[in-house]
Amino acid sequence: MSAIELNNLNIAYSSVQVVHGASLTVEEGESFALVGESGSGKSTILKAICGLNDEWTGEIKLYGEKVDPRKRADISRISQMVFQDPYGSLHPRKTVDTTLSEPLTIHGIKDNGDRVVEMLNAVGLDQRYRFRFPHQMSGGQRQRVAIARALMLKPKLMLLDEPTSALDVSVQAEILNLLKQLRKDQNLTFLLVTHDLPVVSFLCDRLAVMKKGKIVEIATRDQLAKGTFNEPYSQELYQASKHEHVA
Amino acid sequence: MSQKLLEVEDLRVTFPTHQGDVEVVKGISFDLGRERLAIVGESGSGKSMTGRAILKLIRSPGRVTAKKFVFDGIDLNKQSERQMRKLRGARISMVMQDPKFSLNPVLSIEDQIAEALRTHQTLTRKELDEKVLHMLEQVRINDPARVAKLYPHEVSGGMGQRIMIAMMLIPEPDLLIADEPTSALDVSVQAQVLDLIDNLIREKGMGLILISHDLNLVANYADRVLVMNAGEIVEQRDAADLQNATHPYTQGLLNAMPRLDETRDELPTLDRTQWAAT
Amino acid sequence: MSNMTEWLLSDSPTSKGQAFAGRTWRMWLSLLGNPLAITGLIIVVVLVLMAAFAPLIAPYSPIGQDLENRLLPPSWQHWMGTDELGRDIFSRVVYGSRLTLMIVLLVAAISAPIGLVIGAISGYFGGWVDKVMMGITDIFLSMPKLIMALAFVAALGPGIENAIIAIAITAWPAYARIARAETLTFRNAEFIDAIKLQGASPARIIINHVLPLCTSSMIVRVTLDMAGIILTAAGLGFLGLGAQPPLPEWGAMISRGRAFILDQWWVATMPGFAIIVVSLGFCFLGDGLRDILDPKNEGKS
């Protein structure tokens, strides 16, 4: 069974159409990337899948179940999201402990902090961080907390919206390693949105290249490594990234 | 290297806090000719502070001190704020990260660029217009006459940054400081903007200080690279020679970046305890 | 003591309690660094103590008349003099602090939560909910406060309870506006999206995640408004629509003293002085709190 299936997805923001007829399938356990420049509609697709935007037509299926935008079922236990900005994605007045316990409280899961401790360990944060406020942590540490929060409900699907683009190179490496490790350990499916092709190469199996709201091409990691895209636009993106990575 | 454009010795930037003074730039020294120098580092390394210190744009209560601080024969240590204002823009210019925040939203592109020129020279309206259009052409804007009439919100990020560059270069400064000039832009536009800066710098024989977090990027667009960490320069190297960096921090940074044809199962990470960052 | 501070300022608290105690302690420390705020705090604390221990502090009864000693100037027997019925003004001011404090607290306790909830709901949902709620708020806002309060008191009848209700009714719209503006700044923030994705209901999001972020600006605003509330209450008292005699309400006292203002200046001046000092105290404290509680300052160490 595939984890995500999009069929002819159209998304409009107040009458401006930003995604045109996107179709793709992400298999269970796969790590898939949506790649494109700003304004290509990649984040918009992510928001439609998780339910932050209901202004779409077409079909979204999660694990075989059709999603109805008007009658939103709670998919929080199936899918969770990690956001781009580690400074904006944590509530500034809540401690790490409160942030992590919140999803359990919402779903009435009885737990005396064991899962919080376990998740902090899983994302490589020591217990000293448990009762800190976000402003007492660095960007990388905050992003770890955000990842831990996404994992609290044991979802199968993780939606990653540029999870490392606001971080320093060395911190990015740590977070990428962590994501890769977690995916292996917890058997997660990833849908990653990014503009950074090398990140895709490290973390993903396949990628869809988007341009102006359309999916131009779906390619494999192998094609990315060798630079053998079929579409000229994908090739252009590849060259631009390559240009940067001569060193 | 021809004659020295900028000489800096023991530059320190200090901010007072409750726990005493904190130095964000800890006594760095470097020279610059009419060449392209890059300052690379992660956030908090002091690279941007260094750039701002050269223009003496550190806000109080921050303090800038240097044993030697000479720009083209002018001792910057002795310049008053008023004299500095004459230098800024006219002799030393700065391009910032995000064009959205650096352009005045209520001025047309034309007026904006003209303004940059008018503060330092007196010209007739006609001369001014000609210069502005010529400059827009130089930053490769198609149809400059049309773009000149637009307002900042009507142009894209890449074009906004090119307009910023036009604004900064039109008074023909001797030194351009570019602080992360492309990190707010898409990859494909980044290369265009950097190529543009590069060409203009070479044509006009200016000096460039390129401040960036991206080692790969600076390797392509600079002659020399200073790697900064926690307020200190940990390594100085020719850009072409960056691959052979010896300092573990530089090596760590180089290795931590994923590649297009990534085969490693895990990216090497920096052992931060070695250079206990602030 | 040093162990205690260490525990409070620890970077790695070991419990929820310690984390919050630490944050409160830090705020306290920065409040101490602000002389004006401390002045304000001292005034407010003195006011509270005065109200609490009024019978112990006041040398005479606030309503006991002594017609032999009418209109005496300030002296060692009567620190602030006596009024036209021979009552000790100092004692009346001391007892009046109870009324002032009650008015201020009740108004804040009624209007702030109403404003907060209406503003947060309006800002969070947007759309027609926002339009309707803000429409109502604007209608209330467009009327002058004192006149509105006057109208309400005229309808409900004079008296201190009605004055409080009237002031509360005129005070909430400003809070609703602030809470809405504050909510709008972060309703699209990623941490709100994140909590939505965890399946939280709108009520839960508003109560647990939106309101806590509005409260600090609300506390600041309410503190700053206390001065205005005191003045409005005094104004109503002055017009005879607030507290009724013989209650020692400061505004009413000024009103009574008006008749003797040229010959027996202290009768009107002493309660007026009390109003000014307490209003200033709340203003100073509010300004200080703004510097400490402003969420924009948080995170900057």
Side-chain angles (χ1 to χ4, degrees):
Chain A
M1 186 169 46
S2 46
I4 307 175
E5 215 183 308
L6 306 182
N7 283 320
N8 196 24
L9 182 68
N10 291 298
I11 307 173
Y13 276 135
S14 54
S15 80
V16 182
Q17 195 165 1
V18 282
V19 174
H20 305 264
S23 302
L24 60 84
T25 309
V26 180
E27 296 306 326
E28 215 175 331
E30 194 182 21
S31 172
F32 192 94
L34 285 172
V35 178
E37 307 207 293
S38 49
S40 61
K42 53 192 195 302
S43 295
T44 315
I45 292 187
L46 219 55
K47 289 213 162 111
I49 294 174
C50 67
L52 287 175
N53 175 14
D54 285 340
E55 308 281 305
W56 50 268
T57 57
E59 190 181 63
I60 299 178
K61 273 189 192 168
L62 293 180
Y63 294 90
E65 297 265 344
K66 258 198 199 174
V67 174
D68 184 344
R70 274 155 296 277
K71 226 172 49 198
R72 241 320 136 186
D74 186 9
I75 56 163
S76 52
R77 292 197 177 204
I78 299 170
S79 150
Q80 280 294 329
M81 184 152 159
V82 176
F83 297 88
Q84 173 176 10
D85 177 13
Y87 293 88
S89 67
L90 297 180
H91 195 292
R93 294 286 168 86
K94 302 216 181 274
T95 60
V96 171
D97 182 69
T98 321
T99 299
L100 295 185
S101 318
E102 185 74 1
L104 300 181
T105 328
I106 291 170
H107 292 268
I109 300 169
K110 285 267 177 300
D111 174 285
N112 37 16
D114 293 349
R115 182 127 181 93
V116 173
V117 174
E118 181 195 330
M119 254 16 271
L120 280 178
N121 280 335
V123 297
L125 280 181
D126 128 15
Q127 295 307 317
R128 283 179 303 151
Y129 294 96
R130 185 167 165 197
F131 293 101
R132 284 200 192 183
F133 289 99
H135 66 86
Q136 295 171 307
M137 291 184 293
S138 69
Q141 289 162 349
R142 291 178 196 214
Q143 201 60 315
R144 284 174 193 268
V145 173
I147 292 170
R149 171 180 61 192
L151 292 171
M152 284 308 284
L153 293 173
K154 305 187 181 171
K156 292 183 277 186
L157 171 63
M158 289 275 269
L159 306 171
L160 310 167
D161 189 0
E162 305 258 19
T164 59
S165 65
L167 303 174
D168 275 325
V169 179
S170 58
V171 183
Q172 161 173 297
E174 290 169 20
I175 298 293
L176 288 176
N177 285 338
L178 170 67
L179 286 169
K180 198 167 193 170
Q181 190 61 43
L182 287 171
R183 185 176 155 232
K184 210 191 298 172
D185 294 347
Q186 313 203 5
N187 213 357
L188 297 164
T189 307
F190 280 175
L191 180 58
L192 168 78
V193 157
T194 182
H195 65 277
D196 194 340
L197 287 176
V199 168
V200 176
S201 175
F202 179 72
L203 206 58
C204 300
D205 310 318
R206 286 194 303 149
L207 67 153
V209 179
M210 292 196 63
K211 182 192 184 185
K212 291 183 183 158
K214 291 193 175 107
I215 293 179
V216 181
E217 177 175 6
I218 293 179
T220 60
R221 186 196 2 222
D222 217 33
Q223 276 175 285
L224 171 63
K226 295 195 183 104
T228 52
F229 288 101
N230 297 321
E231 292 295 321
Y233 179 74
S234 322
Q235 206 61 36
E236 224 175 90
L237 272 188
Y238 174 79
Q239 288 302 338
S241 295
K242 192 166 178 179
H243 189 58
E244 279 222 328
H245 282 254
V246 187
Chain B
M1 217 193 302
S2 53
Q3 105 271 27
K4 299 255 171 67
L5 190 58
L6 180 72
E7 286 172 89
V8 178
E9 203 186 310
D10 199 27
L11 175 74
R12 288 169 193 275
V13 179
T14 330
F15 285 93
T17 67
H18 292 305
Q19 285 90 27
D21 288 2
V22 173
E23 275 194 345
V24 289
V25 177
K26 296 173 186 159
I28 63 167
S29 307
F30 61 92
D31 303 327
L32 176 79
R34 296 196 175 263
E35 56 170 339
R36 304 170 304 160
L37 175 74
I39 304 180
V40 188
E42 297 196 289
S43 50
S45 62
K47 57 184 194 303
S48 291
M49 283 299 165
T50 306
R52 299 183 74 93
I54 294 169
L55 282 166
K56 295 229 254 176
L57 278 176
I58 305 288
R59 261 190 222 115
S60 156
R63 282 195 316 275
V64 181
T65 57
K67 278 210 188 96
K68 193 171 179 190
F69 201 9
V70 181
F71 167 73
D72 201 21
I74 305 166
D75 188 349
L76 294 178
N77 270 332
K78 293 192 182 126
Q79 299 295 299
S80 66
E81 175 56 27
R82 213 179 138 153
Q83 288 166 314
M84 277 313 291
R85 243 177 287 162
K86 278 194 187 146
L87 278 179
R88 285 181 207 136
R91 309 276 329 261
I92 313 176
S93 276
M94 189 157 181
V95 176
M96 311 264 196
Q97 192 175 78
D98 198 334
K100 271 196 211 94
F101 299 118
S102 336
L103 292 173
N104 185 340
V106 296
L107 284 183
S108 71
I109 305 298
E110 183 176 43
D111 290 343
Q112 206 130 179
I113 302 177
E115 186 64 34
L117 202 52
R118 224 173 324 175
T119 38
H120 301 292
Q121 296 172 35
T122 34
L123 292 166
T124 63
R125 184 78 223 179
K126 196 162 174 255
E127 283 174 307
L128 214 54
D129 284 350
E130 265 169 30
K131 276 207 158 195
V132 168
L133 288 186
H134 178 67
M135 195 65 225
L136 284 176
E137 248 165 61
Q138 275 194 307
V139 294
R140 289 195 224 117
I141 285 177
N142 303 324
D143 197 2
R146 184 184 66 86
V147 173
K149 303 279 179 230
L150 296 178
Y151 284 85
H153 68 269
E154 298 173 296
V155 302
S156 66
M159 200 187 283
Q161 201 57 307
R162 273 185 272 181
I163 291 162
M164 268 307 288
I165 293 166
M167 233 168 96
M168 290 302 142
L169 291 185
I170 200 164
E172 301 187 344
D174 299 278
L175 173 60
L176 179 71
I177 302 173
D179 188 355
E180 304 266 8
T182 58
S183 39
L185 306 176
D186 277 328
V187 187
S188 60
V189 190
Q190 278 183 7
Q192 288 171 19
V193 169
L194 286 166
D195 284 337
L196 177 75
I197 294 181
D198 204 47
N199 278 330
L200 292 170
I201 294 289
R202 284 169 199 262
E203 255 169 51
K204 299 185 195 284
M206 298 161 52
L208 169 72
I209 296 182
L210 176 64
I211 298 170
S212 174
H213 67 282
D214 191 334
L215 270 169
N216 282 322
L217 181 135
V218 303
N220 287 318
Y221 292 98
D223 304 314
R224 250 174 351 120
V225 179
L226 305 181
V227 182
M228 281 187 76
N229 180 45
E232 285 166 28
I233 295 177
V234 296
E235 182 144 10
Q236 279 208 52
R237 215 155 250 286
D238 285 340
D241 199 27
L242 204 54
Q243 278 302 296
N244 307 323
T246 48
H247 194 277
Y249 179 74
T250 321
Q251 285 178 333
L253 282 188
L254 282 169
N255 291 332
M257 262 176 292
R259 307 197 179 105
L260 272 169
D261 50 348
E262 194 53 70
T263 49
R264 292 172 291 183
D265 206 34
E266 195 178 330
L267 297 168
T269 52
L270 283 173
D271 177 10
R272 263 157 224 292
T273 51
Q274 249 177 291
W275 318 272
T278 42
Chain C
M1 186 59 204
S2 73
N3 270 341
M4 187 68 187
T5 12
E6 231 167 72
W7 181 82
L8 283 166
L9 289 178
S10 159
D11 267 335
S12 318
T14 49
S15 73
K16 214 180 275 189
Q18 189 185 356
F20 283 93
R23 198 175 66 169
T24 317
W25 179 247
R26 259 167 252 216
M27 285 181 181
W28 174 242
L29 287 184
S30 52
L31 188 74
L32 286 183
N34 187 337
L36 270 188
I38 284 302
T39 315
L41 186 69
I42 291 171
I43 293 175
V44 173
V45 169
V46 167
L47 177 77
V48 171
L49 291 178
M50 221 157 85
F53 300 110
L56 297 180
I57 297 168
Y60 301 92
S61 148
I63 45 174
Q65 300 181 5
D66 182 1
L67 292 174
E68 271 171 39
N69 292 319
R70 309 176 53 223
L71 298 170
L72 289 181
S75 65
W76 282 113
Q77 274 79 44
H78 301 281
W79 292 356
M80 293 184 179
T82 58
D83 67 6
E84 78 283 8
L85 296 173
R87 293 173 294 199
D88 180 52
I89 296 180
F90 177 68
S91 304
R92 285 178 67 76
V93 167
V94 169
Y95 274 94
S97 64
R98 288 186 160 184
L99 289 175
T100 303
L101 206 59
M102 178 178 86
I103 293 171
V104 158
L105 290 182
L106 280 179
V107 169
I110 298 170
S111 57
I114 296 179
L116 199 58
V117 169
I118 290 185
I121 291 177
S122 184
Y124 180 75
F125 287 104
W128 65 266
V129 176
D130 185 32
K131 284 206 182 88
V132 171
M133 287 185 145
M134 280 302 117
I136 298 170
T137 310
D138 282 341
I139 293 173
F140 276 87
L141 261 184
S142 63
M143 295 186 218
K145 251 189 179 178
L146 191 59
I147 309 275
M148 266 267 272
L150 270 179
F152 275 104
V153 175
L156 299 169
I160 192 146
E161 297 83 7
N162 290 344
I164 290 170
I165 295 172
I167 298 172
I169 286 172
T170 56
W172 71 266
Y175 302 140
R177 276 273 162 203
I178 295 167
R180 174 177 175 269
E182 198 85 354
T183 308
L184 284 182
T185 59
F186 51 75
R187 73 179 257 209
N188 289 325
E190 290 184 342
F191 63 86
I192 296 290
D193 280 347
I195 193 73
K196 271 187 210 165
L197 292 184
Q198 283 159 4
S201 63
R204 186 181 185 92
I205 297 176
I206 290 177
I207 294 167
N208 279 357
H209 299 266
V210 173
L211 287 186
L213 285 173
C214 300
T215 40
S216 55
S217 55
M218 195 61 64
I219 291 173
V220 171
R221 182 61 201 240
V222 169
T223 317
L224 287 173
D225 275 0
M226 296 257 175
I229 295 171
I230 293 173
L231 292 178
T232 313
L236 287 175
F238 182 82
L239 293 171
L241 295 169
Q244 294 303 304
L247 282 182
E249 201 272 327
W250 295 347
M253 287 167 70
I254 298 178
S255 168
R256 307 284 300 233
R258 197 174 40 137
F260 324 101
I261 192 129
L262 290 178
D263 300 318
Q264 286 85 23
W265 55 270
W266 56 90
V267 182
T269 309
M270 291 305 174
F273 190 63
I275 293 175
I276 292 175
V277 170
V278 171
S279 303
L280 261 184
F282 276 114
C283 279
F284 286 158
L285 182 64
D287 260 338
L289 286 178
R290 170 159 53 207
D291 295 342
I292 301 160
L293 292 176
D294 190 349
K296 279 147 216 128
N297 289 339
E298 210 151 308
K300 286 179 203 157
S301 45

